[in-house]
Amino acid sequence: MDVKIERLRESLKISLKGELDQHEARGVLMRFGELESQALPARCVLDLSALGFTDSSGIAVLLGLERRVRDAGGELTVVNIPPQARRVFDAAGLSRVMRFE
Amino acid sequence: MRPINEMTLTFPARSVNEGFARLAAAAFAAQLDPTMDELGDIKTVISEAVTNCIVHAYPDTLGAVRMRCRIYPDGRFEATVADSGVGIADIEKAREPMFSTGGAERSGMGFTIMESFADSFTVRSRPGKGTTVRFTKRISPRAKK
Ligand SMILES: Nc1ncnc2c1ncn2[C@@H]1O[C@H](COP(=O)(O)OP(=O)(O)OP(=O)(O)O)[C@@H](O)[C@H]1O
Ligand SMILES: [Mg+2]
């Protein structure tokens, strides 16, 4: 799985490309760990347009990222969620605790 | 009803096999000409079931995971995913949303997702013996091209 982290002028954009499962989740969480040491912009966007697949491992990844961003005083918005991922997140009621667009 | 085709795969409970298992199941199910959504549902349930064997069943050993897929003349896809691991003492409790014995990397939503993505879903387990999940997914007939 490819994790791209881009610092734009006033926001942070994270893009995931590939399939997200328990096997891939470790690497993704490690990349998110890099964010810890940096000051985060208030606005963070997670772009899932190239997410080919996710299972429940993705739920923990999203919740972990949301918490990290919130602890740094920012807000996370998840954009471009493909249908398969949307069905997984909906089954878990994730849209009630996170901002989807 | 007798299956018109079936396949069985056995592989060690290594996380790299999660992707392999769902792709293999999807390739087999392709014989029923499923839609992208139906294929996505099958891959999701397989991924959850196989991941549970890998994460939960074998805490101290590297055991085996057995996946059997079948298709039926009425357009049903059926799969069982089985391990010979630690088993589940209280299945009802394990199936509750957000129940997990895993850590922060688990959300406890696996069974809930399997239940909502499959048409029928059952869990059999015996502590010390292992766990088998079985599910079916009906593939809607499509006009012949
Ligand atoms: N194959 C198995 N062997 C032993 N225990 C299992 C097995 N499958 C599930 N369990 C038990 O059932 C619990 C619930 O499983 P479920 O898949 O719903 O959640 P999870 O795996 O903990 O988290 P998630 O699937 O969201 O990553 C697990 O935490 C584990 O205790
Ligand atoms: Mg699980």
Side-chain angles (χ1 to χ4, degrees), chain A residues 56-57, chain B residues 47-49 51-53 55-56 99-100 106-111 114:
Chain A
S56 62
S57 305
Chain B
S47 199
E48 293 297 345
T51 301
N52 276 354
C53 302
V55 173
H56 303 296
F99 175 87
S100 178
R106 309 258 60 89
S107 61
M109 294 306 293
F111 280 140
M114 291 187 252

Side-chain angles (χ1 to χ4, degrees), chain A residues 1-5 14-20 28 31-32 46-52 58 61-62 65:
Chain A
M1 161 139 267
D2 264 10
V3 184
K4 195 159 90 186
I5 302 178
I14 304 174
S15 314
L16 300 185
K17 185 175 169 189
E19 305 210 336
L20 182 52
V28 176
R31 289 297 310 279
F32 289 174
L46 178 66
D47 184 352
L48 298 183
S49 54
L51 180 66
V61 166
L62 259 64
L65 179 63

Side-chain angles (χ1 to χ4, degrees), chain B residues 29-57:
Chain B
Q31 295 169 38
L32 290 172
D33 193 21
T35 62
M36 286 297 284
D37 284 352
E38 288 164 342
L39 221 42
D41 287 359
I42 288 172
K43 284 165 83 171
T44 308
V45 181
I46 293 283
S47 199
E48 293 297 345
V50 168
T51 301
N52 276 354
C53 302
I54 290 168
V55 173
H56 303 296

Side-chain angles (χ1 to χ4, degrees), chain B residues 113-136:
Chain B
I113 289 169
M114 291 187 252
E115 234 166 86
S116 70
F117 279 48
D119 291 328
S120 70
F121 177 72
T122 54
V123 183
R124 282 188 299 129
S125 190
R126 267 175 63 201
K129 295 283 182 206
T131 302
T132 300
V133 307
R134 175 187 169 278
F135 76 95
T136 62

